[in-house]
Amino acid sequence: MMNTPRPHDLLWLTDSDALEDVSEEWVASQWQPRLPVVVRRDVSRDARIPVGVRGMRRDQRAAGWVNAAKVKRIVSPEELASRDLLVKSPFVSMPPVQGAIQLALREWPWSWGITGSCGYALATEVPVLHADSDLDLLIRCPQRVERESLLEWQAVIGQLLCRADTQIETPQGAFALAEWLRDGRVLLKTNSGPEIVTDPWALKG
């Protein structure tokens, strides 16, 4: 049985008709079922999964929906952080992949993964990654994590050869780690929209 897709997971679909409610014209010429779509954050409707489509240009992003029955494969950001996968990637010489390898050489008390252009390139071998690309990272934190532990992670990624940004995923939503460490309050992205919070793990009343 296939796992329930989560935000940032990459999905491969059964056919081109599986992608629903996309209005951008470039999608028809650039997206094919051999390329994944990414799960985005939204309120699910009628067992449909909210997804985003990536084009070859940075400004080409489209939102759509997929019926869960049309998903044939799921790859999580955590799978893309595998040391074996990273060292065998055709993009292994790129700074973002080198940075990910540095992180994979260490033990961390949480599950982390790679998203964004680096994750997409690792999953597809499509050359959307450049020498100056950012390394977008995701840490799943279902339970509260001590600030000191996250400060250690932040110090390590600050020493990498590329710019790296981390999103922390809690049961309530996701937030930018750097912003939370700096300000003590943060914009939490939830399925129902963004909220400013001081405690991203707090249950809503």
Side-chain angles (χ1 to χ4, degrees):
M1 184 175 174
M2 202 172 288
N3 293 330
T4 301
R6 299 178 293 180
H8 300 289
D9 283 352
L10 294 173
L11 310 182
W12 278 259
L13 310 180
T14 55
D15 54 69
S16 56
D17 293 335
L19 190 58
E20 305 172 11
D21 297 345
V22 176
S23 56
E24 286 80 352
E25 293 182 3
W26 59 264
V27 173
S29 62
Q30 291 198 30
W31 181 80
Q32 305 165 29
R34 66 179 181 83
L35 297 173
V37 294
V38 63
V39 180
R40 59 184 175 83
R41 202 175 303 280
D42 204 335
V43 178
S44 297
R45 304 182 304 198
D46 303 323
R48 294 198 304 166
I49 303 163
V51 298
V53 186
R54 184 187 189 104
M56 291 304 292
R57 294 205 320 258
R58 198 168 194 156
D59 62 329
Q60 289 179 324
R61 301 290 185 271
W65 295 85
V66 168
N67 188 305
K70 297 281 190 175
V71 177
K72 66 178 183 180
R73 181 185 174 209
I74 302 175
V75 171
S76 70
E78 290 88 341
E79 292 174 74
L80 299 174
S82 156
R83 193 184 312 172
D84 288 344
L85 184 149
L86 291 167
V87 298
K88 293 174 182 174
S89 168
F91 309 111
V92 66
S93 63
M94 294 281 193
V97 180
Q98 285 291 307
I101 291 171
Q102 291 301 308
L103 291 172
L105 290 173
R106 299 175 63 117
E107 293 294 327
W108 299 101
W110 46 63
S111 178
W112 67 278
I114 304 169
T115 64
S117 59
C118 186
Y120 190 89
L122 289 168
T124 64
E125 299 191 355
V126 174
V128 295
L129 195 60
H130 309 288
D132 58 350
S133 294
D134 292 351
L135 174 59
D136 295 308
L137 300 161
L138 175 73
I139 298 177
R140 312 261 192 198
C141 294
Q143 280 84 39
R144 192 182 308 277
V145 175
E146 292 301 321
R147 177 184 172 90
E148 289 70 25
S149 297
L150 292 170
L151 279 168
E152 180 185 352
W153 168 275
Q154 192 70 1
V156 170
I157 69 169
Q159 300 299 314
L160 300 179
L161 296 174
C162 62
R163 175 182 164 83
D165 292 305
T166 305
Q167 287 273 316
I168 304 292
E169 186 88 25
T170 79
Q172 314 309 318
F175 64 92
L177 175 59
E179 183 183 348
W180 186 62
L181 292 175
R182 184 185 66 237
D183 301 335
R185 61 203 299 265
V186 77
L187 184 73
L188 185 69
K189 292 184 279 190
T190 75
N191 286 352
S192 54
E195 301 178 22
I196 298 290
V197 301
T198 55
D199 185 349
W201 284 272
L203 289 170
K204 298 175 191 172

